[in-house]
Structure formats: C-alpha cells, structure tokens
Amino acid sequence: MKILVCISNVPDTTSKINFTADNKEFDKNGVQYVINPWDEYALTRAIELKEAKGGTVTVLNVGEADAEPNIRKALAIGADDAIRVNAKPVDAFFVAQQIAAVAKEGNYDMILMGKESIDYNGSQVHGMVGELLGIPSVVPAFKLDMVDDSTARLEREIEGGKEVVEVKLPFVASAQQPMSEPRIPNMRGIMTARTKPLAVKEPVGAEAKAEYVGYSKPEKKGGVKMIDPENAGELITLLRNEAKVL
C-alpha cells in the first residue's frame, strides 16, 4: 500500500504575526515554522497503517526551500521518502493541482492530509484533489482503519452524531483529532532522516484562481463600559449603535 501524506509548512501558533509595509505579504522575519498540526494526525496514522499492514509513506509539500527542515522532521517521524514541489503555495487550487499531479504519477492508494492548515483555515484542498483525480474524498475523518487490502472504513462527525463510511482504494481523506496521537521524532529517526530521499519537482503549469490583495490584523479591543443595572435602555442603545449586535 502506497500512502501519500500532504503537509503544510505553517507559522507556529506562538509566533507574533506581522505583515509587510503595504500589507500585501506575510512578514516571515523572526517566525518559527512547524508542520501543520492537523497534518501531523494524518502523518502519524499513515505510519501506523504502514507498520500494521506494510507499504510505504511518502510526504509531499508544496513550498519553497525553507520548508525542508520540517519535511526532514516528517521523515524523522517515520515517513520513507519525501517530495517537495518547488513553488510558493499561492492558493488552494494551485496546491491541489500540484498534489494531483504527483498523485497521478506515483499511483498512490491513499492520499491523506489535515482537515485544514492553521494559517489560512481554508479546508478546500482535499475536496479539490479528489475532484481532480476523480476519486472519493472523505472529510474530515477522526478515525481510519483498513477493512481489507482494498477497503477502508472511516468515521467522521456530522450534526448530532457520527457517520461511518467504507470506501474502496484509492481515495482522499482529511484528518482531525483524535485520528492518532502525533509522534515526536527520536534520535534514531532524526539520524536516518538525513539520508532518506527528498526529491524536488518543478510545479505543473497551473494558474492560481484567487489573489490575496491585502491582510490586516483584528482591531484592538476597546475598553469596558460599565452600565448601571437599572439602565437597560442605555445598554440596548450601546449594543445596537456601537457593538452592532442587535
């Protein structure tokens, strides 16, 4: 069984977020990058399936050279090899086309990724990849098991309960907690990751469908206004005219 796990290189949630002077680009200065936490659930589950059933796990990142330390971390966790598509991930459709191209070439049985990336929270790529490849897409799943060599069973949340789905390979799935418990690389894994293959491919000729024209930070919270409990009229006026929630 060949499993392709797609990972994103994202800012650590503890990083201070700033933008360039014209607010058109994210300012990377001083920012620590990590593997997208949702992708780590997918990666760990893929490794668990490989250990239980056999096969290989390939990590795929669409990104620039600065993503390679985190790709090596994924190899240290237990992936067998890695591919980096040498391109800036400009939008979800562009990324999905790169993943689909690699998946077609590699003839993978399973394509896993996190339910979203914590930087853009778009939750779009997995569905696009399934559509581009013409295969099922099960999103987001919190449990993934193999029924037999050609069928997987997944569970996902729906309103008021859960849904159990059986799907034939190949398919796309996105992961969320608690699909697996993310692993920390050990020293042996870190050492072997240095020699595992990391192929760099040029992107396919795909155009982005969206353009980010600007970024802004949330407005700072204002001060607290204390209202006399006997003055309900003033409270209603403030909620309507200032907070605009009524």
Side-chain angles (χ1 to χ4, degrees):
M1 182 167 59
K2 295 178 65 178
I3 306 175
L4 181 67
V5 179
C6 309
I7 64 171
S8 297
N9 194 46
V10 300
D12 193 317
T13 53
T14 61
S15 298
K16 186 176 181 180
I17 302 301
N18 288 302
F19 303 108
T20 55
D22 59 2
N23 288 325
K24 291 186 176 181
E25 293 282 344
F26 175 68
D27 187 353
K28 294 183 177 182
N29 290 322
V31 175
Q32 178 72 33
Y33 279 77
V34 297
I35 299 173
N36 179 46
W38 297 113
D39 297 335
E40 288 197 77
Y41 292 113
L43 174 62
T44 306
R45 188 60 188 137
I47 294 167
E48 291 171 348
L49 290 173
K50 179 191 77 168
E51 291 170 346
K53 303 290 185 180
T56 60
V57 175
T58 299
V59 168
L60 170 62
N61 171 260
V62 180
E64 298 172 300
D66 58 3
E68 292 196 3
N70 280 324
I71 298 174
R72 289 290 178 193
K73 180 182 177 182
L75 293 171
I77 291 171
D80 298 288
D81 63 310
I83 299 168
R84 180 175 67 83
V85 177
N86 188 32
K88 184 177 179 180
V90 289
D91 81 339
F93 185 70
F94 176 83
V95 171
Q97 287 198 306
Q98 308 310 314
I99 295 171
V102 171
K104 284 180 182 177
E105 182 179 345
N107 194 30
Y108 293 93
D109 300 298
M110 194 183 301
I111 303 165
L112 303 180
M113 63 191 76
K115 71 171 187 175
E116 61 187 0
S117 62
I118 63 169
D119 48 3
Y120 286 95
N121 301 105
S123 194
Q124 301 177 70
V125 173
H126 32 68
M128 293 179 178
V129 172
E131 185 68 21
L132 289 167
L133 294 173
I135 59 177
S137 177
V138 183
V139 298
F142 63 83
K143 190 173 183 180
L144 167 60
D145 293 298
M146 294 301 298
V147 177
D148 54 40
D149 291 342
S150 62
T151 307
R153 180 182 290 119
L154 300 97
E155 295 183 18
R156 61 180 181 177
E157 292 180 350
I158 58 173
E159 186 174 356
K162 68 178 182 181
E163 181 179 62
V164 180
V165 179
E166 288 193 359
V167 60
K168 294 288 186 182
L169 278 59
F171 66 90
V172 179
S174 68
Q176 68 173 31
Q177 193 178 12
M179 181 176 280
S180 61
E181 184 66 32
R183 297 182 179 183
I184 298 173
N186 56 33
M187 184 56 66
R188 183 169 180 269
I190 293 170
M191 297 299 291
T192 57
R194 298 176 182 178
T195 58
K196 289 181 179 180
L198 197 172
V200 179
K201 296 179 178 288
E202 291 306 310
V204 297
E207 293 185 5
K209 299 295 184 181
E211 177 185 0
Y212 296 99
V213 297
Y215 297 90
S216 64
K217 293 183 180 181
E219 293 183 8
K220 292 183 179 180
K221 294 182 179 180
V224 175
K225 290 187 177 182
M226 305 298 293
I227 308 298
D228 190 308
E230 302 297 325
N231 196 351
E234 182 183 359
L235 175 61
I236 292 170
T237 300
L238 290 171
L239 290 173
R240 179 180 292 120
N241 298 332
E242 289 193 15
K244 301 187 184 300
V245 296
L246 295 179

